[in-house]
C-alpha cells in the first residue's frame, strides 16, 4: 500500500509526506472517519513511507529492501493490532492479533478497505463480538520496547481501537513518554468511541469519505471499465462497499424490490415462499447489499413523495419507473415502516438468523404493512 494506491485525499497525503520529511510526524496519531473511508489504507501507506529508505517526493520508492517487505505486509517494524475473535482450544483472553496475522495479511493483500463485519467473517467468527484484550496491550508494549530490526521507526497500528476498552489505559505511558523511534497510529470511526485519556494525547487526523469520482478512479484501476450508477448510491463514499458491489450483481435489485412488494401484497404462500427462497439463496454479501439497496430505494422513494420531484432523487430512470409503480400502494407512512423493518433485517442477518425464516416472516410483515386490513 502506497499513497498513490489510494484515490484522492491529496491534501492529507501531502501533509503526511511533509511531516515525515521535516521530522515532525507526531508520535501518537488518531485517524478518524467513516467506515470505508480508507483510514487503514492511509495508516499503512504512511507507515510504509516512513520505513522507505529512498523516499520520493510523491511517496515510497518501491524498490528498497524496506519497501520489499512493507508492500507485502511483512516489515518487522510495522505492527498491527486489531479486534480478535475466538480460536478453538484457546482461551479468549489468550488470543491476540499475532494469532490471526496470516489471515490479516491475506485480507490486506486482497483489499485494505475492510469493514469490521468483513474482518469477523475472515476470522471465521461472524456473530460474536471481538475484542482487543489485556494480553494484546502487553504485547504492544513488549514489541515497542524492543530494539528496531531495521534501524528505523517502530510503527504500531491499532485498527478498530474502540475495542480496546479500559485496557487501553495501559498504553498511556507509551503515548505520553514515547521513545524517539516509536510511532503509534490509532484508528476508529470517531473520537467518541475511544477513552478520553487516549484521544486527548493523540493528534487527530480526519479521513473523509470518498467521493464518486474517487470511487470511479479506484474501480477503473481495478479493472471495472464501466461503474454502474447504483454502485455510487449504495457505496455512499464507502470504498469497501463499492468494491463489493462490483463483485456482485446489483443490476436486478430494483426488480427484486418490486417483486418483493408484489409477493407481500398478494399475501399468498405460493408467492411468498418462492420469493423468500430466492432471497435466502443469495450469498451473505448479496443479501446485505439487497437490504441496503432496499433501504436506499425507500429513502429516495420518501424524498420523492415529499418533493414530487424526479430530479431530486438518486435513482436511475429504470428505478424511477419502479417508484411510479409503487406510489399507489405505498404512502409515506408505509414507506417509513418498511424502512424500519428492513434496517432491523440487516442487523438480524449479521447475527446468523436463518435467512429463509427471516425473509418469509418479513414478507408476511410487509404484507400487513401494505394491506393492514384483510383483503
Ligand atoms: Zn523504498
Amino acid at each position: 500500500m502506497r499513497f498513490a494506491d489510494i484515490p484522492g485525499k491529496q491534501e492529507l497525503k501531502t501533509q503526511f509526506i511533509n511531516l515525515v520529511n521535516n521530522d515532525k510526524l507526531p508520535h501518537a496519531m488518531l485517524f478518524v472517519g467513516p467506515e470505508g473511508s480508507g483510514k487503514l489504507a492511509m495508516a499503512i501507506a504512511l507507515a510504509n513511507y516512513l520505513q522507505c529508505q529512498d523516499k520520493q517526493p510523491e511517496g515510497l520508492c518501491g524498490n528498497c529492501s524496506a519497501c520489499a517487505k512493507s508492500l507485502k505486509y511483512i516489515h518487522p517494524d510495522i505492527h498491527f493490532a486489531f479486534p480478535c475473535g475466538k480460536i478453538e482450544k484457546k482461551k479468549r483472553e489468550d488470543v491476540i492479533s499475532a494469532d490471526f496475522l496470516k489471515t490479516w495479511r491475506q485480507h490486506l493483500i486482497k483489499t485494505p478497505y475492510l469493514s469490521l463485519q468483513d474482518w469477523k467473517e475472515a476470522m471465521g467468527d461472524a456473530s460474536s463480538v471481538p475484542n482487543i484484550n489485556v494480553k494484546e496491550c502487553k504485547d504492544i508494549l513488549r514489541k515497542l520496547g524492543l530494539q528496531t530490526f531495521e534501524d528505523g521507526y517502530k510503527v504500531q497500528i491499532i485498527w478498530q481501537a474502540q475495542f480496546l476498552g479500559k485496557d487501553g489505559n495501559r498504553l498511556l505511558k507509551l503515548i505520553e513518554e514515547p521513545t524517539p523511534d516509536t510511532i503509534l497510529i490509532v484508528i476508529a470511526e470517531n473520537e467518541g468511541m475511544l477513552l478520553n485519556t487516549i484521544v486527548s494525547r493523540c493528534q487527530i487526523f480526519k479521513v473523509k469519505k470518498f467521493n464518486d469520482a474517487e470511487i470511479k478512479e479506484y474501480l477503473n484501476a481495478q479493472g471495472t471499465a464501466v461503474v454502474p450508477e447504483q454502485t455510487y448510491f449504495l457505496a455512499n463514499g464507502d470504498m469497501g462497499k463499492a468494491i463489493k458491489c462490483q463483485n456482485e450483481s446489483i443490476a436486478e435489485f430494483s426488480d427484486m424490490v418490486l417483486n418483493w412488494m408484489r409477493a407481500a401484497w398478494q399475501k399468498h404462500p405460493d408467492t411468498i415462499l418462492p420469493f423468500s427462497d430466492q432471497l435466502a439463496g443469495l450469498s451473505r454479501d448479496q443479501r446485505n447489499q439487497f437490504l441496503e439497496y432496499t433501504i436506499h430505494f425507500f429513502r429516495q422513494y420518501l424524498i420523492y413523495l415529499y418533493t414530487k420531484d424526479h430530479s431530486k432523487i438518486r435513482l436511475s430512470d429504470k428505478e424511477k419507473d419502479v417508484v411510479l409503480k409503487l406510489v399507489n400502494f405505498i404512502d409515506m407512512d408505509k414507506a417509513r415502516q418498511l424502512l424500519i423493518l428492513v434496517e432491523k433485517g440487516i442487523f438480524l442477518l449479521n447475527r446468523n438468523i436463518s435467512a429463509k425464516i427471516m425473509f418469509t416472516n418479513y414478507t408476511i410483515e410487509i404484507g400487513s404493512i401494505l394491506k393492514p386490513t384483510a383483503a
Side-chain angles (χ1 to χ4, degrees):
M1 180 56 50
R2 50 191 103 201
F3 288 126
D5 295 328
I6 306 167
K9 307 190 193 295
Q10 198 49 54
E11 207 177 312
L12 196 56
K13 291 174 188 171
T14 307
Q15 189 184 4
F16 285 138
I17 289 171
N18 290 338
L19 285 169
V20 171
N21 291 336
N22 297 323
D23 211 10
K24 293 234 164 75
L25 194 68
H27 287 280
M29 290 174 274
L30 168 58
F31 288 11
V32 292
E35 190 161 88
S37 58
K39 302 180 289 296
L40 177 60
M42 195 57 93
I44 295 171
L46 173 58
N48 293 356
Y49 181 65
L50 195 62
Q51 302 294 11
C52 174
Q53 292 149 358
D54 185 18
K55 293 177 180 57
Q56 306 293 308
E58 294 296 305
L60 52 75
C61 76
N63 298 313
C64 70
S65 67
C67 286
K69 290 174 209 141
S70 66
L71 291 173
K72 284 190 231 149
Y73 304 101
I74 52 171
H75 195 292
D77 290 320
I78 301 176
H79 304 285
F80 294 99
F82 37 77
C84 294
K86 283 185 285 210
I87 289 186
E88 234 181 289
K89 294 187 184 136
K90 208 162 181 182
K91 279 191 199 149
R92 200 57 196 264
E93 61 260 38
D94 288 335
V95 178
I96 59 171
S97 301
D99 295 306
F100 282 106
L101 204 52
K102 204 175 147 206
T103 312
W104 176 254
R105 283 179 184 142
Q106 282 168 346
H107 214 300
L108 289 184
I109 288 167
K110 227 165 53 183
T111 174
Y113 302 106
L114 73 168
S115 69
L116 179 63
Q117 188 62 28
D118 296 336
W119 174 237
K120 282 161 63 175
E121 284 170 28
M123 287 190 293
D125 185 10
S127 53
S128 74
V129 179
N131 68 345
I132 301 177
N133 58 24
V134 181
K135 195 176 173 196
E136 185 85 64
C137 294
K138 287 181 182 165
D139 197 55
I140 290 171
L141 295 174
R142 180 190 63 80
K143 280 184 298 191
L144 296 184
L146 297 173
Q147 283 285 321
T148 57
F149 287 89
E150 308 259 326
D151 207 26
Y153 284 92
K154 286 172 285 187
V155 184
Q156 175 70 54
I157 296 172
I158 305 180
W159 181 65
Q160 301 278 355
Q162 70 273 21
F163 288 97
L164 271 170
K166 284 213 172 62
D167 298 325
N169 279 324
R170 289 170 183 269
L171 302 175
L172 289 183
K173 196 165 176 316
L174 174 80
I175 301 174
E176 277 175 340
E177 300 163 31
T179 49
D181 54 358
T182 304
I183 301 286
L184 179 71
I185 307 176
V186 177
I187 302 173
E189 277 184 36
N190 62 67
E191 301 95 303
M193 299 165 106
L194 301 176
L195 293 171
N196 235 328
T197 43
I198 290 184
V199 176
S200 62
R201 288 164 176 84
C202 288
Q203 186 162 332
I204 297 173
F205 293 89
K206 288 196 161 56
V207 182
K208 281 186 265 183
K209 69 179 188 176
F210 289 101
N211 63 36
D212 291 354
E214 288 159 356
I215 289 178
K216 182 172 189 297
E217 181 189 330
Y218 185 81
L219 295 179
N220 285 160
Q222 298 286 308
T224 305
V226 181
V227 180
E229 228 175 332
Q230 281 164 322
T231 297
Y232 303 122
F233 302 153
L234 282 179
N236 189 26
D238 179 332
M239 190 65 85
K241 275 189 192 166
I243 294 166
K244 276 187 209 153
C245 288
Q246 294 325 107
N247 298 337
E248 313 283 354
S249 165
I250 54 166
E252 303 310 317
F253 280 172
S254 59
D255 280 341
M256 278 170 68
V257 170
L258 185 62
N259 291 339
W260 198 14
M261 297 304 126
R262 279 192 183 132
W265 177 268
Q266 286 165 7
K267 286 188 170 179
H268 196 282
D270 286 351
T271 49
I272 291 173
L273 292 177
F275 197 74
S276 305
D277 278 345
Q278 189 195 340
L279 290 177
L282 300 173
S283 72
R284 181 194 280 266
D285 275 350
Q286 283 173 324
R287 288 197 297 256
N288 264 317
Q289 275 171 12
F290 173 67
L291 292 182
E292 276 175 14
Y293 174 82
T294 308
I295 290 171
H296 160 70
F297 179 88
F298 278 110
R299 283 193 186 137
Q300 300 305 312
Y301 185 86
L302 274 171
I303 293 171
Y304 175 73
L305 291 187
Y306 277 117
T307 61
K308 296 282 177 204
D309 183 353
H310 277 290
S311 65
K312 291 250 188 321
I313 53 178
R314 292 193 79 182
L315 293 174
S316 67
D317 287 344
K318 188 182 163 224
E319 293 168 308
K320 286 175 185 169
D321 287 342
V322 176
V323 169
L324 293 179
K325 284 177 187 153
L326 291 174
V327 284
N328 293 330
F329 308 93
I330 304 176
D331 61 15
M332 249 184 242
D333 186 47
K334 287 174 180 173
R336 272 195 223 100
Q337 290 183 56
L338 287 173
L339 265 176
I340 294 167
L341 190 71
V342 178
E343 276 164 0
K344 203 171 77 188
I346 290 189
F347 175 75
L348 287 178
L349 268 185
N350 286 328
R351 297 184 62 101
N352 278 348
I353 305 288
S354 151
K356 192 179 157 138
I357 294 174
M358 197 198 88
F359 279 118
T360 305
N361 288 344
Y362 268 31
T363 312
I364 294 168
E365 273 191 66
I366 291 171
S368 41
I369 290 173
L370 298 184
K371 283 198 290 190
T373 49

